[in-house]
Amino acid sequence: MSFLVGEELTGGYGGPDILQGCAIAAERGEITVVVGPNGAGKSTAMRALFGMLNLRSGTVHLDGEDITALAPQARAHKGMGFVPQTDNVFRSMTVQENLEMGAFVRDDDISETLDEVYGLFPALKDKRRQPAGELSGGQRQQVAIGRALMNRPRALMLDEPSAGVSPIVTRELFERIVDIARSGVAVLIVEQNARQALELADKGYVLVQGRNRFTGTGETLLGNPEVRKSFLGG
Amino acid sequence: MALFLQNLVNALQWGSFYALIALGYSMVYSILMLFNFAHGDIFMVGAYIGVGVAFVLIAMASQGALALPPWAILILTILFAMILTSFVGMLVERIGYRPLRAAPRASAAITGLMIGIILETGNLALLGARRIRFPSLIDTTVYEVGGVFITNTKIIIVVVALLLATAMHLFVRKTKWGLAMRAMAFDYVAVPLMGVSVNAIAALTFALGSALAAAAGILYALAYPVLDPYMGILFGWKAFVAAILGGRGSVMGATLAGFLLGFIEIFAAMIFPSSLRDLIAYSIVLLILIVRPHGFFGEPYSARLRL
């Protein structure tokens, strides 16, 4: 069984089911990417894995343990991290306070992890006393990712990390995300920016209307003519 | 000049009551986006619990079970009443507000009003209509400094209020839980992602605010010992005004606004007939709010609240 697995995920936000039995799995040390057209339920699927919506059916397992019934904060305690889409930092709090907030569940010394995050995103170290809201879009994204890393997650989910960020900055951000995955974290990314994301994916899912449509390595999906035509603009 | 200073001393005393109550109002409002209209009644409950605690401690002292000087009994009374009242606050949150967290804000505000009435009339049902006197724990001493009369009670009130307000400020600024409270004031949805329980923060916020209101209740009873079940209503409204005047999310702002309110009231009464006190005072506050709708220290609503 994969490290993080959602199976037969069915449910929505109280209205009609957005997810119609989709399945997603992520391995440690790998990057898993979920792409698909607007409204396919990509972000919803990821929220389902984090316990942010009421599933009507389906299960979520982390490291073999059934966590389907756990609240999001309990999943954070289990070592899951989540980076929400855009406007995702505590803007009136300083960069460092944002990062400290990410380590809320930890009782041990966080200074080493703080150094690691600053090592990964050196720009943040110079701005650590500034309110996070004053940073550029790309740097705010770094704060949001850094904040999730402060909890030393075993599984990290990112909801459209490229949203509101320039292509060059996105490339840099993706390189850092690869670093994070290679350090042994199961990384799951939902992306609108399908081509760029699939290029770094170890595994990719194409969701359509809440169901799995295609699954394969990033390379396979990028090479699949049907995927290219329907989802990657030719 | 002596008259001015005398009024200043009185303003500091009244400001202390307002500031302590305003802090709880402000924190609940900032963190949970909730107008806890029952908060003035929590102040009342705190004063009554203080009476109970004081009687028990005095009885224990007179039977020799507790050899403590009066000032120590006062400190213990404040501490125990704060702890007990914080549980009342958490209970109010659990029963009255938590089930309505996703409900329209108006429903939650109405809940506050109802809880307030329940606390007032519950007190009436429990203790009857007779007024209750707070036991005099310390003898009042009057000091005269340059024509200004200062009592030891007033000094205790102002010092305790400033200590508690400072402690609250430091808690919110310097501790992990304070950090989580500030984070939650900004984004309700994001904090669980960091492993923070929204319910725990809500309970903590109510506990802290209620503890401060209890302290205010006992300090008030030191100066004005006769208590009645409706004593919290006007205080609640005024502290609410101070909380808004201070600005959303600012402990310092609520404290200063509480004191400012005390000053405006006392000096309005110094210049105008005292029957016009609140009319003049709150007309001034209204003007201030028109000029500064976000209060003194509040951020304009840049904070995106996702309820």
Side-chain angles (χ1 to χ4, degrees):
Chain A
M1 192 187 240
S2 300
F3 186 70
L4 174 65
V5 196
E7 282 170 318
E8 307 271 327
L9 303 171
T10 305
Y13 300 98
D17 288 343
I18 296 167
L19 303 177
Q20 315 241 7
C22 77
I24 291 173
E27 303 290 349
R28 293 190 80 165
E30 290 189 358
I31 291 183
T32 305
V33 170
V34 181
V35 299
N38 267 328
K42 308 186 291 289
S43 296
T44 309
M46 194 146 78
R47 285 189 192 146
L49 291 177
F50 211 86
M52 293 160 85
L53 68 139
N54 291 325
L55 284 175
R56 287 205 303 110
S57 65
T59 56
V60 183
H61 285 82
L62 179 74
D63 201 7
E65 183 187 353
D66 187 342
I67 57 166
T68 315
L70 292 187
Q73 64 262 26
R75 295 183 201 217
H77 282 267
K78 294 270 178 205
M80 290 174 76
F82 190 100
V83 181
Q85 199 187 121
T86 62
D87 198 11
N88 47 12
V89 297
F90 300 118
R91 276 185 281 157
S92 58
M93 289 169 25
T94 66
V95 168
Q96 178 123 353
E97 282 175 335
N98 268 274
L99 297 180
E100 285 169 3
M101 196 55 217
F104 184 84
V105 303
R106 291 177 55 182
D107 290 318
D108 55 335
D109 184 17
I110 62 165
S111 55
E112 204 174 300
T113 320
L114 208 52
D115 287 341
E116 279 169 30
V117 170
Y118 286 141
L120 198 62
F121 303 119
L124 298 186
K125 187 162 190 181
D126 304 327
K127 304 201 165 174
R128 63 187 185 279
R129 304 262 167 255
Q130 274 186 40
E134 289 176 5
L135 271 54
S136 70
Q139 285 171 346
R140 281 209 298 267
Q141 203 61 261
Q142 293 181 354
V143 172
I145 295 171
R147 190 181 62 192
L149 290 177
M150 288 302 294
N151 192 24
R152 290 180 301 191
R154 297 183 293 162
L156 180 64
M157 303 184 215
L158 301 106
D159 194 357
E160 300 212 17
S162 78
V165 177
S166 75
I168 296 167
V169 176
T170 299
R171 188 175 306 276
E172 245 182 68
L173 212 53
F174 279 179
E175 281 170 18
R176 296 291 81 76
I177 293 171
V178 172
D179 294 343
I180 294 164
R182 297 301 174 244
S183 74
V185 179
V187 172
L188 183 67
I189 306 174
V190 158
E191 259 301 342
Q192 200 73 259
N193 192 344
R195 185 181 296 273
Q196 218 177 343
L198 284 175
E199 276 169 11
L200 52 103
D202 295 295
K203 186 165 58 173
Y205 291 92
V206 180
L207 294 194
V208 179
Q209 292 183 340
R211 290 190 181 88
N212 293 62
R213 183 70 171 273
F214 299 100
T215 306
T217 62
E219 217 173 322
T220 321
L221 290 177
L222 283 169
N224 181 326
E226 208 177 333
V227 172
R228 292 171 70 105
K229 194 162 116 261
S230 312
F231 308 110
L232 302 175
Chain B
M1 190 59 191
L3 179 66
F4 174 80
L5 288 174
Q6 187 64 60
N7 278 300
L8 193 68
V9 170
N10 294 340
L12 279 171
Q13 171 180 286
W14 280 86
S16 299
F17 306 143
Y18 294 148
L20 286 179
I21 307 172
L23 276 170
Y25 242 123
S26 175
M27 288 196 302
V28 167
Y29 162 58
S30 305
I31 294 162
L32 305 171
M33 248 344 230
L34 191 70
F35 298 122
N36 174 20
F37 286 128
H39 192 58
D41 298 293
I42 297 285
F43 158 81
M44 175 275 291
V45 169
Y48 274 84
I49 288 179
V51 173
V53 173
F55 274 129
V56 170
L57 290 175
I58 289 168
M60 285 168 76
S62 69
Q63 284 167 8
L66 197 74
L68 286 174
W71 60 265
I73 291 184
L74 174 63
I75 290 174
L76 284 180
T77 301
I78 294 177
L79 283 178
F80 281 124
M82 285 175 77
I83 292 166
L84 292 172
T85 311
S86 71
F87 284 106
V88 176
M90 286 192 278
L91 200 65
V92 165
E93 191 273 331
R94 182 67 192 84
I95 295 173
Y97 290 114
R98 193 177 298 180
L100 287 154
R101 197 169 290 150
R105 295 294 83 188
S107 304
I110 299 281
T111 307
L113 292 176
M114 289 185 293
I115 291 171
I117 294 170
I118 290 168
L119 289 173
E120 292 151 19
T121 49
N123 178 331
L124 214 53
L126 203 66
L127 299 172
R130 75 201 150 95
R131 294 189 157 197
I132 286 180
R133 227 187 135 75
F134 195 85
S136 58
L137 291 172
I138 42 171
D139 298 320
T140 306
T141 319
V142 183
Y143 309 100
E144 199 204 322
V145 187
V148 182
F149 295 96
I150 305 176
T151 60
N152 54 349
T153 327
K154 284 200 171 88
I155 295 171
I156 291 170
I157 289 168
V158 176
V159 168
V160 172
L162 287 176
L163 281 178
L164 288 174
T166 309
M168 193 50 57
H169 179 75
L170 291 176
F171 180 85
V172 170
R173 283 277 138 201
K174 302 285 180 200
T175 69
K176 185 163 127 170
W177 285 93
L179 189 67
M181 288 165 84
R182 282 191 287 143
M184 194 157 122
F186 181 77
D187 196 330
Y188 227 85
V189 175
V191 289
L193 305 179
M194 274 129 255
V196 181
S197 152
V198 168
N199 287 340
I201 299 290
L204 174 67
T205 306
F206 268 82
L208 290 172
S210 304
L212 292 180
I218 294 166
L219 294 177
Y220 176 77
L222 283 184
Y224 305 93
V226 180
L227 310 180
D228 80 87
Y230 300 104
M231 63 187 267
I233 297 175
L234 198 55
F235 266 102
W237 287 116
K238 290 180 173 180
F240 182 29
V241 170
I244 301 298
L245 202 57
R248 180 171 175 269
S250 175
V251 167
M252 193 87 92
T255 311
L256 292 179
F259 280 104
L260 180 72
L261 214 57
F263 284 102
I264 294 176
E265 278 190 6
I266 296 287
F267 284 97
M270 179 178 124
I271 298 164
F272 302 98
S274 64
S275 58
L276 297 183
R277 186 190 73 179
D278 282 1
L279 172 66
I280 306 278
Y282 289 90
S283 302
I284 295 171
V285 172
L286 182 61
L287 284 178
I288 297 175
L289 268 184
I290 288 169
V291 179
R292 287 197 68 91
H294 302 296
F296 293 122
F297 296 91
E299 297 167 48
Y301 286 82
S302 60
R304 183 188 45 148
L305 284 150
R306 301 186 300 197
L307 284 168

